[in-house]
């Protein structure tokens, strides 16, 4: 018996129809056609599907898809079943509260992007999605942060993203994060203090924190290629990227500032305006931050403020 047959039996029961003749009359078709449809030997035309739907208070789209599934070859039936499931979900989405249809619409946008092996998020959604990715990590997270100030207290990634990292570390996820500092930044004592605070926060959260000075990193051909590869993929000039379980990568495409506060003087907060998530094999290969941690000539593990200040003093002497 076809799925359409089930709907026809439902019509007979609802309207107390005792024969194919009365069913055919109700549908406005010939009796032989009604008999063949009820036995699953004929697929109704679109206009008949619509009539069946109206008689059963169904959405016509549901019946049209059922008809397509019934006449599809066995190899294609599972895809029509999947389409029917998706439509069924959409048809039963309530219009209120408004959050629900908007959430479903957002899920739909994500599903349409999956074929490209890339997802893009903007604004607050970008920051929220980064947290969700950390929550799915099982083994490792390797990250590089040039726009590291967004980890400061009061900035976009504090405290939600930091707390998500801490929970991941508690689960046994090995997290390595490299902060890239510049000569210009380190000329300001307040920025040095901020960098130490950020690294201390990360360290206390169970993250293996590393730091490097950009002017030294740029001496490495490998790092210059790394930067160029990110540029080709549309990454922001200041690279913020993380690899999760060596299989999925996120990186910032642009940054912006949001003003927090409508009363008094607003507080500027650095935001990730656009975030890309990708699992394309070639991109994963080229943009993986993991090799950076092997560049021990330029990359140092953070061991607390005194050791950091010693390396900072050495760096300042070298560029004086």
């Amino acid at each position: 018996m076809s799925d359409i047959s089930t709907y026809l039996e439902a019509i007979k029961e609802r309207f107390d129809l005792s024969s194919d003749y009365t069913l055919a009359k109700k549908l406005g078709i010939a009796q032989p056609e009604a008999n063949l449809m009820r036995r699953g030997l004929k697929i109704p035309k679109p206009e008949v599907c619509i009539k069946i739907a109206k008689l059963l208070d169904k959405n016509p789209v549901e019946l049209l898809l059922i008809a397509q599934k019934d006449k599809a070859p066995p190899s294609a039936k599972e895809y029509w079943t999947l389409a029917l499931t998706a439509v069924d979900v959409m048809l039963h989405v309530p219009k209120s509260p408004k959050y629900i249809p908007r959430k479903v619409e957002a899920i739909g946008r994500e599903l349409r992007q999956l074929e490209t092996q890339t997802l893009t998020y903007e604004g607050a959604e970008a920051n929220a999605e980064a947290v969700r990715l950390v929550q799915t990590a099982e083994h490792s997270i390797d990250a590089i942060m040039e726009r590291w100030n967004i980890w400061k207290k009061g900035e976009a990634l504090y405290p939600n993203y930091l707390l998500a990292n801490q929970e991941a570390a508690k689960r046994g996820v090995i997290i390595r994060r490299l902060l890239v500092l510049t000569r210009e930044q380190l000329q300001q004592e307040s920025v040095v203090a901020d960098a130490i605070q950020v690294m201390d926060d990360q360290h206390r959260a169970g993250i293996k924190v590393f730091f490097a000075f950009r002017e030294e990193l740029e001496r490495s051909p490998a790092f210059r290629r790394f930067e160029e590869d990110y540029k080709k993929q549309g990454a922001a000039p200041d690279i913020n990227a993380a690899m999760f379980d060596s299989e999925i990568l996120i990186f910032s495409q642009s940054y912006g500032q949001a003003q927090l506060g409508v009363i008094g003087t607003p507080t500027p907060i650095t935001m990730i305006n656009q975030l890309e998530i990708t699992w394309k094999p070639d991109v994963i290969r080229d943009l993986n931050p993991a090799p950076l941690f092997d560049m021990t000539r330029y990359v140092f593990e953070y061991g607390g403020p005194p050791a950091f200040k010693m390396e900072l003093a050495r760096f300042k002497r070298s560029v004086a």
Side-chain angles (χ1 to χ4, degrees), residues 181-187 213-219 311-320:
L181 311 167
T182 69
R183 178 184 181 182
E184 181 181 359
Q185 291 171 341
L186 298 172
Q187 289 176 343
F213 306 112
R214 166 169 268 286
E215 287 76 9
E216 291 184 339
L217 269 180
E218 288 175 339
R219 299 172 192 167
E311 283 296 338
L312 176 57
R314 176 200 60 78
F315 169 69
K316 286 183 174 181
R317 289 194 301 270
S318 71
V319 295

Side-chain angles (χ1 to χ4, degrees), residues 265-301:
T265 304
T267 302
I269 296 178
T270 303
M271 299 288 292
I272 299 172
N273 275 353
Q274 192 170 53
L275 178 78
E276 181 169 307
I277 301 175
T278 182
W279 52 100
K280 292 180 180 178
D282 56 332
V283 177
I284 293 294
R285 181 193 64 237
D286 295 340
L287 304 189
N288 191 350
L292 297 176
F293 296 94
D294 297 327
M295 299 171 62
T296 53
R297 182 178 179 182
Y298 306 117
V299 175
F300 309 95
E301 186 165 3

Side-chain angles (χ1 to χ4, degrees), residues 86-262:
V87 169
D88 185 60
V89 171
M90 296 299 293
L91 293 176
H92 291 86
V93 174
K95 293 183 179 180
S96 63
K98 291 183 176 63
Y99 167 80
I100 301 300
R102 289 178 181 175
K103 179 66 175 177
V104 172
E105 182 182 357
I107 292 171
R109 286 197 300 270
E110 290 179 330
L111 292 174
R112 287 191 291 273
Q113 292 183 75
L114 289 180
E115 189 175 349
T116 67
Q117 296 182 300
T118 298
L119 295 169
T120 302
Y121 296 90
E122 297 181 351
E125 288 184 358
N127 295 277
E129 201 61 28
V131 171
R132 283 191 280 269
L133 260 178
V134 173
Q135 292 170 340
T136 67
E138 296 181 350
H139 307 293
S140 65
I141 301 173
D142 286 325
I144 175 174
M145 307 291 290
E146 290 195 271
R147 189 67 73 95
W148 54 266
N149 64 307
I150 60 178
W151 285 96
K152 288 168 48 181
K153 186 176 182 179
E155 292 288 349
L157 299 185
Y158 190 100
N160 290 352
Y161 195 51
L162 183 60
L163 288 172
N165 275 251
Q166 179 174 280
E167 289 304 311
K170 287 180 180 178
R171 296 197 307 270
V173 178
I174 298 173
I175 306 175
R176 298 187 297 180
R177 181 161 289 113
L178 169 61
L179 275 65
V180 180
L181 311 167
T182 69
R183 178 184 181 182
E184 181 181 359
Q185 291 171 341
L186 298 172
Q187 289 176 343
Q188 305 173 58
E189 288 301 321
S190 61
V191 177
V192 172
D194 286 341
I196 291 174
Q197 184 63 61
V198 167
M199 289 189 285
D200 278 341
D201 287 343
Q202 302 264 321
H203 184 70
R204 284 195 296 270
I207 298 165
K208 294 183 178 181
V209 186
F210 296 77
F211 64 91
F213 306 112
R214 166 169 268 286
E215 287 76 9
E216 291 184 339
L217 269 180
E218 288 175 339
R219 299 172 192 167
S220 165
F223 181 74
R224 292 198 298 270
R225 286 195 301 271
F226 181 78
E227 278 193 308
E228 188 61 31
D229 287 337
Y230 265 91
K231 184 178 179 181
K232 290 177 183 177
Q233 291 297 325
D238 293 342
I239 300 173
N240 275 15
M243 179 76 76
F244 298 83
D245 294 332
S246 300
E247 64 181 13
I248 189 165
L249 175 78
I250 64 171
F251 62 88
S252 303
Q253 292 183 306
S254 65
Y255 306 98
Q257 277 203 336
Q259 300 297 322
L260 178 63
V262 293

Side-chain angles (χ1 to χ4, degrees), residues 1-2 4-5 8 35-43:
M1 179 182 288
S2 67
I4 285 292
S5 303
L8 295 177
N35 179 268
L36 290 172
M37 288 194 312
R38 186 180 57 77
R39 292 160 56 199
L41 301 176
K42 182 178 176 65
I43 304 301

